[in-house]
């Protein structure tokens, strides 16, 4: 088995978290070919992929509220996000389903994108963003909200609580809010807030991820070919009694007429009194 077959097998057997990691890596490799400017050493994403804070960008390309969460501006950006995604997903999927995981990932990305656009409008700034950080923060904060005291063993540090790790990441975001990548930090904090909100609503009986599941199921069923089965009529005998085969009326009539003829011949030869009791009853029934 070569490395391609091995990757295919791992993708097929892996859960939704592994598939999301594969998708992010695949989109990074694709963007490296088409959108990386080797002269400048940076990506130049088109307006139909990156989420722009300009209304002319997101109004004409509304899908960018989600597409931006599958592309990254550099290898280290991708690597750090995928490490955190793998870390957070291992805890989240301990308590919740894969559909809830995917639903939260998608909704966190969309909510964070809306907050980014609104925040830049208020701050009178203009920029575009890419990256899965906001969606991943939604996953991390959601599981932290649900199980904040879970023990996590870190290399060289030892055991810490899950909320300690999440708190450090959030504090670093807040400290860098106005220094660099303001749009990224707005989306991170928005994703974190949505993760918190998701768990609180879920604990009260409202699972927002069902919206995403319903949309995915709708499009899946829309393009799924219905299996055609040949029409087969089946008769069932609900009474449990054996079904009597119908006897052709033509055949019955012929037999009946033959018997009448035989009786009439007998009467003409030997008289009516020569008939048996059954023959007389038969004539009586036929004559009604």
């Amino acid at each position: 088995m070569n490395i391609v077959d091995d990757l295919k097998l791992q993708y097929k057997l892996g859960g939704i978290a592994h598939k999301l990691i594969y998708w992010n890596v695949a989109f990074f490799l694709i963007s490296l070919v088409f959108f990386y400017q080797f002269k400048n050493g940076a990506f130049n994403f088109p307006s139909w992929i990156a989420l722009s804070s300009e209304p002319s960008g997101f109004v004409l390309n509304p899908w960018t509220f989600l597409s931006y969460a599958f592309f990254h501006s550099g290898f280290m950006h991708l690597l750090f996000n995928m490490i955190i995604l793998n870390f957070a997903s291992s805890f989240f999927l301990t308590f919740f389903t894969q559909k809830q995981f995917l639903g939260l990932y998608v909704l966190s990305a969309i909510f964070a994108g809306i907050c980014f656009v609104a925040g830049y409008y208020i701050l009178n700034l203009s920029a575009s963003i890419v990256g899965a950080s906001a969606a991943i923060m939604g996953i991390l904060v959601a599981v932290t909200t649900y199980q904040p005291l879970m023990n996590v063993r870190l290399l060289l540090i030892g055991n810490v609580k899950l909320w300690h790790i999440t708190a450090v990441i959030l504090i670093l975001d807040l400290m860098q809010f106005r220094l660099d990548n303001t749009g990224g930090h707005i989306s991170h904090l928005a994703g974190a807030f949505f993760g918190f909100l998701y768990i609180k609503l879920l604990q009260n009986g409202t699972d927002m991820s069902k919206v995403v599941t319903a949309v995915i199921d709708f499009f899946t069923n829309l393009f799924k070919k219905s299996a055609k089965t040949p029409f087969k009529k089946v008769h069932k005998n609900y009474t449990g009694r054996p079904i009597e085969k119908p006897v052709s009326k033509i055949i019955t009539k012929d037999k009946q007429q033959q018997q009448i003829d035989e009786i009439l011949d007998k009467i003409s030869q030997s008289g009516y009194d020569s008939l048996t009791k059954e023959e007389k009853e038969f004539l009586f029934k036929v004559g009604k």
Side-chain angles (χ1 to χ4, degrees), residues 116-134:
F116 158 71
V117 169
Y120 262 47
Y121 177 79
I122 295 171
L123 297 172
N124 196 24
L125 298 173
S126 178
S128 297
I129 59 169
V130 292
S133 312

Side-chain angles (χ1 to χ4, degrees), residues 43-90:
F43 283 94
N44 182 21
F45 288 103
S47 59
W48 48 271
I49 286 182
L51 176 60
S52 172
S53 61
E54 294 294 324
S56 59
F58 63 78
V59 170
L60 294 176
N61 307 290
W63 55 85
T64 54
F65 280 99
L66 180 60
S67 64
Y68 83 95
F70 290 89
F71 291 86
H72 292 81
S73 59
F75 176 74
M76 293 306 297
H77 187 199
L78 172 72
L79 179 63
F80 180 77
N81 276 348
M82 294 305 101
I83 290 174
I84 300 298
L85 176 59
N86 186 59
F87 172 81
S89 65
S90 63

Side-chain angles (χ1 to χ4, degrees), residues 243-261:
I243 300 175
E244 295 180 1
K245 292 183 179 180
V247 180
S248 170
K249 292 182 178 179
I250 297 175
I251 297 174
T252 303
K253 186 175 182 180
D254 289 344
K255 287 183 177 179
Q256 188 179 49
Q257 186 61 47
Q258 184 179 359
Q259 190 173 358
I260 291 172
D261 292 341

